[in-house]
Amino acid sequence: MDFQGRVDTVEAIQLISIADVLIGCVDSLEGRDTLNRVATFYTLPYLDIGVRLDADGQGGVASVSAAVHYLQPGGASLKSRGVYSDEGLRAEYLKRTDQPFYEDQVRRGYIRGVRVDSPAVISVNTLAAASAVNELLARLHPFRTVNNADVAVQKLLLTHGRTIHRGDGDPDLELAPWWAAVTAHLRSAVGVSRRPRHESAREHAPMVSAGHR
């Protein structure tokens, strides 16, 4: 199932809630933060895909990279892994909702400017998407000679011709208590589906791919 639009809308969250796996291809920090939180609240595994291209200021490219993060409810988050910060989220929110105030805050030095979005390159995007699909397959049908727990993060450094793998990392201390509360509630609801209100639709929406913001 494919949803085009903001991921913080009621419609988007309802679709996500009946999924089994969440794959995020969003282009904003707000979108990533929302998906990570919703995946935690609905106990969904979350695969995040990101691509970055940096110009060298002279008409060339300084670096080209992509990253695939596999996130489990109750574990590390994109924020705890350093993908973004609260400061970055606030800056992006201000830029979207109050441009004059955002520019004033940047000028005064209270916040850093939001990084301009990287241009889309089909070959790099395709490589990142394929890596995410292979990561999902590795979780469903383990085929690696190494432990999946050691490959929670894949960073494809195309500029340097190498790939870096990292483990899950420490749990996000902000989200972990919410996940614990959800799982405790589910354990107490003996004989009740994880998402009873949407169970009838679940078989029709086994996966949600979230695009845009």
Side-chain angles (χ1 to χ4, degrees):
M1 181 176 294
D2 183 45
F3 176 81
Q4 300 294 325
R6 292 190 60 85
V7 297
D8 56 1
T9 63
V10 172
E11 180 185 1
I13 293 175
Q14 286 178 337
L15 287 173
I16 293 171
S17 73
I18 61 173
D20 292 318
V21 178
L22 177 59
I23 300 177
C25 318
V26 293
D27 57 6
S28 71
L29 302 184
E30 288 183 277
R32 284 184 161 84
D33 187 68
T34 298
L35 290 180
N36 209 155
R37 290 174 182 275
V38 173
T40 297
F41 297 155
Y42 286 98
T43 63
L44 300 172
Y46 171 35
L47 282 160
D48 179 81
I49 307 171
V51 171
R52 179 167 180 171
L53 289 84
D54 293 318
D56 61 8
Q58 300 177 352
V61 177
S63 65
V64 181
S65 61
V68 175
H69 287 260
Y70 178 75
L71 299 142
Q72 303 179 64
S77 69
L78 292 174
K79 188 167 73 171
S80 69
R81 289 179 182 174
V83 175
Y84 59 85
S85 64
D86 287 330
E87 179 187 41
L89 278 173
R90 177 172 177 266
E92 191 173 272
Y93 172 77
L94 286 177
K95 183 178 182 182
R96 179 173 61 84
T97 60
D98 193 338
Q99 185 74 25
F101 183 66
Y102 163 79
E103 294 174 354
D104 177 71
Q105 293 289 287
V106 172
R107 185 171 58 254
R108 292 170 178 267
Y110 291 120
I111 62 174
R112 297 179 181 177
V114 175
R115 185 177 69 86
V116 177
D117 291 337
S118 298
V121 177
I122 293 177
S123 61
V124 181
N125 291 351
T126 302
L127 175 63
S131 297
V133 171
N134 286 331
E135 183 61 34
L136 176 61
L137 292 175
R139 303 287 170 167
L140 295 174
H141 307 285
F143 57 78
R144 291 190 173 110
T145 58
V146 298
N147 194 320
N148 273 336
D150 297 326
V151 196
V153 181
Q154 295 184 60
K155 292 191 174 183
L156 314 175
L157 308 178
L158 278 69
T159 310
H160 304 289
R162 62 195 182 102
T163 301
I164 296 176
H165 296 152
R166 293 181 182 172
D168 188 51
D170 296 329
D172 185 310
L173 298 180
E174 179 184 349
L175 293 180
W178 290 100
W179 175 80
V182 169
T183 53
H185 173 73
L186 293 175
R187 291 192 186 99
S188 67
V190 178
V192 178
S193 170
R194 179 174 64 176
R195 294 180 290 279
R197 288 178 299 175
H198 307 292
E199 187 63 31
S200 61
R202 183 176 176 182
E203 63 183 31
H204 302 297
M207 184 180 299
V208 170
S209 175
H212 298 284
R213 292 190 295 182

